[in-house]
Amino acid sequence: MVTGAGAGPRAGRVRGERARGPSAALDMALRRRPSLVLLLLLVRGVELSCIITDSQTNDPRIEWKKIQDEQTTYVFFDNKIQGDLTDRAELLGKTSLKIWNVTRKDSALYRCEVVARNDRKEIDEIVIELTVQVKPVAPVCRVPRAVPVGKAATLSCQEGEGFPRPYYSWYRNDVPLPTDSRANPRFRNSSFVLNPETGTLVFSAVHKEDSGQYYCIASNDAGSSRCEEQDMEVYDLNIGGIIGGVLVVLTVLALITGGICCAYRRGYFISHDRSGESYKNPGKPDGVNYIRTDEEGDFRHKSSFVI
């Protein structure tokens, strides 16, 4: 879709403004054709009109320039297309510019400059503002499936192709939601805030009435698109069930701990050798004593025999 400044949705105009000249009478004047209404999805090109009237010069010099982001570049100069439009533009009727396969990057100011040496006013120009609008694609929506009563919830809606940047609106069960639930008596049992610029729908605390099917619509002057419906369920939190579950878990843990202690006391965790006797760590042999003498300064082996 191609529009000029201030055009309505789904169609547009290419607007030209004649530059101010001296107050003396002029032989040459520039005239633009009537406003063009184009659907970009059907017509992939746009014509920027620059028509010379009342000129005494047979072959005036024509130049087209593009002004974008405070930079000026040539579009048509030295009788040929220049810059990023080399393969997508042509000159019509010696003066008008036709651009094919228009994209968002072509949005800019285009200046037509005419030099007619045989006219009293040798130089004249017009400026045309071209704005390319793109319809939004289906936005990406994220809706939580289940939320307990009293908890916060955030629903998001994002779209990155539309131009100008789209604004967002949310619907529940095909009913449009206001930007603030407190501003509408119909939603007095809800507590949410909708940001139409970011597409976020935030519930500070959900209620049972907030359950339903939600979808988002992204809109701009070129059109609108919506995402698929998604269900959000708001359920009651079963406090008694949670407490009962915790008690069951604690009871099971207590039984396991008591069983382990009982088994340990009865010796189920003590290892046995092959003869069936309890295993005993090796110590010093029976009848052998170790004593230390002052003279030797070390241990000395002493055996005693019992008859």
PDB file of all heavy atoms in Angstrom, residues 32 35 39 51 89 118 122 152 180 185 208 215 236 242 246 251 269 290 295 301:
ATOM      1  N   ARG A  32       1.705  18.550 -11.081  1.00  0.00           N
ATOM      2  CA  ARG A  32       1.608  17.130 -10.768  1.00  0.00           C
ATOM      3  C   ARG A  32       0.247  16.620 -11.174  1.00  0.00           C
ATOM      4  O   ARG A  32      -0.733  17.357 -11.220  1.00  0.00           O
ATOM      5  CB  ARG A  32       1.832  16.861  -9.276  1.00  0.00           C
ATOM      6  CG  ARG A  32       0.764  17.433  -8.358  1.00  0.00           C
ATOM      7  CD  ARG A  32       1.065  17.077  -6.925  1.00  0.00           C
ATOM      8  NE  ARG A  32       0.075  17.632  -6.021  1.00  0.00           N
ATOM      9  CZ  ARG A  32      -1.053  17.020  -5.703  1.00  0.00           C
ATOM     10  NH1 ARG A  32      -1.339  15.849  -6.232  1.00  0.00           N
ATOM     11  NH2 ARG A  32      -1.894  17.581  -4.859  1.00  0.00           N
ATOM     12  N   SER A  35      -4.110  13.051  -7.478  1.00  0.00           N
ATOM     13  CA  SER A  35      -3.644  12.084  -6.482  1.00  0.00           C
ATOM     14  C   SER A  35      -3.902  10.655  -6.958  1.00  0.00           C
ATOM     15  O   SER A  35      -4.952  10.342  -7.525  1.00  0.00           O
ATOM     16  CB  SER A  35      -4.359  12.321  -5.146  1.00  0.00           C
ATOM     17  OG  SER A  35      -4.096  13.628  -4.690  1.00  0.00           O
ATOM     18  N   LEU A  39      -3.263   0.197  -4.275  1.00  0.00           N
ATOM     19  CA  LEU A  39      -3.185  -0.905  -3.332  1.00  0.00           C
ATOM     20  C   LEU A  39      -1.891  -1.641  -3.604  1.00  0.00           C
ATOM     21  O   LEU A  39      -1.707  -2.219  -4.673  1.00  0.00           O
ATOM     22  CB  LEU A  39      -4.381  -1.854  -3.495  1.00  0.00           C
ATOM     23  CG  LEU A  39      -5.736  -1.300  -3.064  1.00  0.00           C
ATOM     24  CD1 LEU A  39      -6.827  -2.338  -3.317  1.00  0.00           C
ATOM     25  CD2 LEU A  39      -5.711  -0.915  -1.604  1.00  0.00           C
ATOM     26  N   ILE A  51       5.376  16.926 -14.013  1.00  0.00           N
ATOM     27  CA  ILE A  51       4.976  17.301 -15.368  1.00  0.00           C
ATOM     28  C   ILE A  51       5.286  18.777 -15.596  1.00  0.00           C
ATOM     29  O   ILE A  51       4.931  19.639 -14.774  1.00  0.00           O
ATOM     30  CB  ILE A  51       3.479  17.035 -15.580  1.00  0.00           C
ATOM     31  CG1 ILE A  51       3.190  15.544 -15.336  1.00  0.00           C
ATOM     32  CG2 ILE A  51       3.053  17.434 -16.989  1.00  0.00           C
ATOM     33  CD1 ILE A  51       1.720  15.208 -15.374  1.00  0.00           C
ATOM     34  N   ALA A  89      13.496   1.200 -11.131  1.00  0.00           N
ATOM     35  CA  ALA A  89      12.852   2.466 -11.478  1.00  0.00           C
ATOM     36  C   ALA A  89      13.110   2.807 -12.942  1.00  0.00           C
ATOM     37  O   ALA A  89      14.051   2.304 -13.564  1.00  0.00           O
ATOM     38  CB  ALA A  89      13.354   3.588 -10.564  1.00  0.00           C
ATOM     39  N   ASN A 118      16.087  28.195 -21.498  1.00  0.00           N
ATOM     40  CA  ASN A 118      15.440  29.200 -22.347  1.00  0.00           C
ATOM     41  C   ASN A 118      14.251  29.870 -21.661  1.00  0.00           C
ATOM     42  O   ASN A 118      13.567  30.682 -22.284  1.00  0.00           O
ATOM     43  CB  ASN A 118      14.971  28.556 -23.661  1.00  0.00           C
ATOM     44  CG  ASN A 118      16.134  28.015 -24.470  1.00  0.00           C
ATOM     45  OD1 ASN A 118      17.260  28.509 -24.372  1.00  0.00           O
ATOM     46  ND2 ASN A 118      15.866  26.997 -25.285  1.00  0.00           N
ATOM     47  N   GLU A 122      14.762  29.623 -14.787  1.00  0.00           N
ATOM     48  CA  GLU A 122      15.510  28.495 -15.328  1.00  0.00           C
ATOM     49  C   GLU A 122      15.364  27.238 -14.477  1.00  0.00           C
ATOM     50  O   GLU A 122      15.485  26.128 -15.010  1.00  0.00           O
ATOM     51  CB  GLU A 122      16.998  28.851 -15.457  1.00  0.00           C
ATOM     52  CG  GLU A 122      17.264  29.966 -16.457  1.00  0.00           C
ATOM     53  CD  GLU A 122      18.740  30.201 -16.646  1.00  0.00           C
ATOM     54  OE1 GLU A 122      19.538  29.522 -15.945  1.00  0.00           O
ATOM     55  OE2 GLU A 122      19.107  31.056 -17.462  1.00  0.00           O
ATOM     56  N   ALA A 152      -0.980 -13.520  39.638  1.00  0.00           N
ATOM     57  CA  ALA A 152      -0.795 -12.606  38.509  1.00  0.00           C
ATOM     58  C   ALA A 152      -0.632 -13.398  37.217  1.00  0.00           C
ATOM     59  O   ALA A 152      -0.196 -14.554  37.222  1.00  0.00           O
ATOM     60  CB  ALA A 152       0.417 -11.715  38.739  1.00  0.00           C
ATOM     61  N   ASP A 180      -7.946  -0.393  30.763  1.00  0.00           N
ATOM     62  CA  ASP A 180      -7.918  -0.511  32.221  1.00  0.00           C
ATOM     63  C   ASP A 180      -9.284  -1.034  32.682  1.00  0.00           C
ATOM     64  O   ASP A 180     -10.318  -0.415  32.400  1.00  0.00           O
ATOM     65  CB  ASP A 180      -7.614   0.841  32.873  1.00  0.00           C
ATOM     66  CG  ASP A 180      -7.260   0.711  34.348  1.00  0.00           C
ATOM     67  OD1 ASP A 180      -7.696  -0.275  34.986  1.00  0.00           O
ATOM     68  OD2 ASP A 180      -6.547   1.590  34.867  1.00  0.00           O
ATOM     69  N   PRO A 185     -17.308  -0.453  34.063  1.00  0.00           N
ATOM     70  CA  PRO A 185     -18.065  -1.217  35.073  1.00  0.00           C
ATOM     71  C   PRO A 185     -18.302  -2.670  34.671  1.00  0.00           C
ATOM     72  O   PRO A 185     -18.514  -3.517  35.537  1.00  0.00           O
ATOM     73  CB  PRO A 185     -19.387  -0.437  35.180  1.00  0.00           C
ATOM     74  CG  PRO A 185     -19.087   0.920  34.658  1.00  0.00           C
ATOM     75  CD  PRO A 185     -18.031   0.745  33.611  1.00  0.00           C
ATOM     76  N   LYS A 208     -12.123 -15.947  38.814  1.00  0.00           N
ATOM     77  CA  LYS A 208     -12.782 -17.001  38.040  1.00  0.00           C
ATOM     78  C   LYS A 208     -13.422 -16.427  36.775  1.00  0.00           C
ATOM     79  O   LYS A 208     -13.474 -17.101  35.739  1.00  0.00           O
ATOM     80  CB  LYS A 208     -13.849 -17.685  38.899  1.00  0.00           C
ATOM     81  CG  LYS A 208     -13.297 -18.492  40.071  1.00  0.00           C
ATOM     82  CD  LYS A 208     -12.601 -19.765  39.581  1.00  0.00           C
ATOM     83  CE  LYS A 208     -13.610 -20.758  39.039  1.00  0.00           C
ATOM     84  NZ  LYS A 208     -12.970 -22.037  38.660  1.00  0.00           N
ATOM     85  N   TYR A 215      -7.764 -13.617  22.306  1.00  0.00           N
ATOM     86  CA  TYR A 215      -6.990 -13.407  21.078  1.00  0.00           C
ATOM     87  C   TYR A 215      -6.678 -11.919  20.943  1.00  0.00           C
ATOM     88  O   TYR A 215      -7.328 -11.066  21.564  1.00  0.00           O
ATOM     89  CB  TYR A 215      -7.723 -13.935  19.834  1.00  0.00           C
ATOM     90  CG  TYR A 215      -9.020 -13.259  19.496  1.00  0.00           C
ATOM     91  CD1 TYR A 215      -9.056 -12.119  18.683  1.00  0.00           C
ATOM     92  CD2 TYR A 215     -10.227 -13.768  19.966  1.00  0.00           C
ATOM     93  CE1 TYR A 215     -10.254 -11.512  18.366  1.00  0.00           C
ATOM     94  CE2 TYR A 215     -11.438 -13.168  19.654  1.00  0.00           C
ATOM     95  CZ  TYR A 215     -11.445 -12.028  18.848  1.00  0.00           C
ATOM     96  OH  TYR A 215     -12.637 -11.432  18.531  1.00  0.00           O
ATOM     97  N   ASP A 236      -9.502 -22.764  41.289  1.00  0.00           N
ATOM     98  CA  ASP A 236      -9.365 -22.545  42.726  1.00  0.00           C
ATOM     99  C   ASP A 236      -8.180 -23.338  43.264  1.00  0.00           C
ATOM    100  O   ASP A 236      -7.957 -24.493  42.887  1.00  0.00           O
ATOM    101  CB  ASP A 236     -10.631 -22.982  43.463  1.00  0.00           C
ATOM    102  CG  ASP A 236     -11.802 -22.062  43.155  1.00  0.00           C
ATOM    103  OD1 ASP A 236     -11.579 -20.838  43.108  1.00  0.00           O
ATOM    104  OD2 ASP A 236     -12.916 -22.579  42.932  1.00  0.00           O
ATOM    105  N   ILE A 242      -3.474 -29.571  49.515  1.00  0.00           N
ATOM    106  CA  ILE A 242      -2.026 -29.364  49.610  1.00  0.00           C
ATOM    107  C   ILE A 242      -1.510 -29.748  50.987  1.00  0.00           C
ATOM    108  O   ILE A 242      -0.487 -30.428  51.133  1.00  0.00           O
ATOM    109  CB  ILE A 242      -1.688 -27.898  49.284  1.00  0.00           C
ATOM    110  CG1 ILE A 242      -2.026 -27.592  47.821  1.00  0.00           C
ATOM    111  CG2 ILE A 242      -0.222 -27.598  49.561  1.00  0.00           C
ATOM    112  CD1 ILE A 242      -1.823 -26.145  47.445  1.00  0.00           C
ATOM    113  N   VAL A 246       1.136 -32.783  51.990  1.00  0.00           N
ATOM    114  CA  VAL A 246       2.371 -32.579  52.760  1.00  0.00           C
ATOM    115  C   VAL A 246       2.415 -33.522  53.954  1.00  0.00           C
ATOM    116  O   VAL A 246       3.461 -34.110  54.271  1.00  0.00           O
ATOM    117  CB  VAL A 246       2.479 -31.114  53.201  1.00  0.00           C
ATOM    118  CG1 VAL A 246       3.639 -30.922  54.165  1.00  0.00           C
ATOM    119  CG2 VAL A 246       2.639 -30.192  51.987  1.00  0.00           C
ATOM    120  N   THR A 251       4.578 -38.308  56.793  1.00  0.00           N
ATOM    121  CA  THR A 251       4.328 -39.604  57.437  1.00  0.00           C
ATOM    122  C   THR A 251       5.162 -40.706  56.789  1.00  0.00           C
ATOM    123  O   THR A 251       5.750 -41.550  57.479  1.00  0.00           O
ATOM    124  CB  THR A 251       2.829 -39.948  57.344  1.00  0.00           C
ATOM    125  OG1 THR A 251       2.059 -38.905  57.984  1.00  0.00           O
ATOM    126  CG2 THR A 251       2.536 -41.269  58.023  1.00  0.00           C
ATOM    127  N   PHE A 269      22.518 -54.468  59.627  1.00  0.00           N
ATOM    128  CA  PHE A 269      23.511 -53.741  58.832  1.00  0.00           C
ATOM    129  C   PHE A 269      24.933 -54.090  59.245  1.00  0.00           C
ATOM    130  O   PHE A 269      25.872 -53.423  58.855  1.00  0.00           O
ATOM    131  CB  PHE A 269      23.288 -52.226  58.962  1.00  0.00           C
ATOM    132  CG  PHE A 269      21.993 -51.764  58.360  1.00  0.00           C
ATOM    133  CD1 PHE A 269      20.886 -51.536  59.163  1.00  0.00           C
ATOM    134  CD2 PHE A 269      21.881 -51.585  56.991  1.00  0.00           C
ATOM    135  CE1 PHE A 269      19.689 -51.125  58.617  1.00  0.00           C
ATOM    136  CE2 PHE A 269      20.675 -51.173  56.442  1.00  0.00           C
ATOM    137  CZ  PHE A 269      19.589 -50.938  57.250  1.00  0.00           C
ATOM    138  N   TYR A 290      52.153 -54.641  75.164  1.00  0.00           N
ATOM    139  CA  TYR A 290      53.176 -53.720  74.672  1.00  0.00           C
ATOM    140  C   TYR A 290      53.445 -52.717  75.771  1.00  0.00           C
ATOM    141  O   TYR A 290      52.527 -52.017  76.217  1.00  0.00           O
ATOM    142  CB  TYR A 290      52.705 -53.010  73.405  1.00  0.00           C
ATOM    143  CG  TYR A 290      52.492 -53.949  72.239  1.00  0.00           C
ATOM    144  CD1 TYR A 290      51.236 -54.510  72.022  1.00  0.00           C
ATOM    145  CD2 TYR A 290      53.557 -54.296  71.404  1.00  0.00           C
ATOM    146  CE1 TYR A 290      51.024 -55.374  70.984  1.00  0.00           C
ATOM    147  CE2 TYR A 290      53.337 -55.158  70.343  1.00  0.00           C
ATOM    148  CZ  TYR A 290      52.083 -55.689  70.126  1.00  0.00           C
ATOM    149  OH  TYR A 290      51.876 -56.539  69.091  1.00  0.00           O
ATOM    150  N   GLU A 295      64.480 -46.699  79.555  1.00  0.00           N
ATOM    151  CA  GLU A 295      65.827 -46.813  78.996  1.00  0.00           C
ATOM    152  C   GLU A 295      65.786 -46.889  77.482  1.00  0.00           C
ATOM    153  O   GLU A 295      66.604 -46.303  76.797  1.00  0.00           O
ATOM    154  CB  GLU A 295      66.528 -48.062  79.555  1.00  0.00           C
ATOM    155  CG  GLU A 295      66.825 -47.987  81.053  1.00  0.00           C
ATOM    156  CD  GLU A 295      65.595 -48.381  81.867  1.00  0.00           C
ATOM    157  OE1 GLU A 295      64.561 -48.700  81.223  1.00  0.00           O
ATOM    158  OE2 GLU A 295      65.648 -48.302  83.111  1.00  0.00           O
ATOM    159  N   HIS A 301      58.301 -55.486  73.105  1.00  0.00           N
ATOM    160  CA  HIS A 301      57.359 -56.584  73.067  1.00  0.00           C
ATOM    161  C   HIS A 301      57.565 -57.494  74.291  1.00  0.00           C
ATOM    162  O   HIS A 301      58.684 -57.846  74.642  1.00  0.00           O
ATOM    163  CB  HIS A 301      57.570 -57.388  71.771  1.00  0.00           C
ATOM    164  CG  HIS A 301      56.612 -58.537  71.638  1.00  0.00           C
ATOM    165  ND1 HIS A 301      56.900 -59.795  72.109  1.00  0.00           N
ATOM    166  CD2 HIS A 301      55.366 -58.584  71.130  1.00  0.00           C
ATOM    167  CE1 HIS A 301      55.891 -60.584  71.857  1.00  0.00           C
ATOM    168  NE2 HIS A 301      54.924 -59.870  71.257  1.00  0.00           N
TER     169      HIS A 301
END
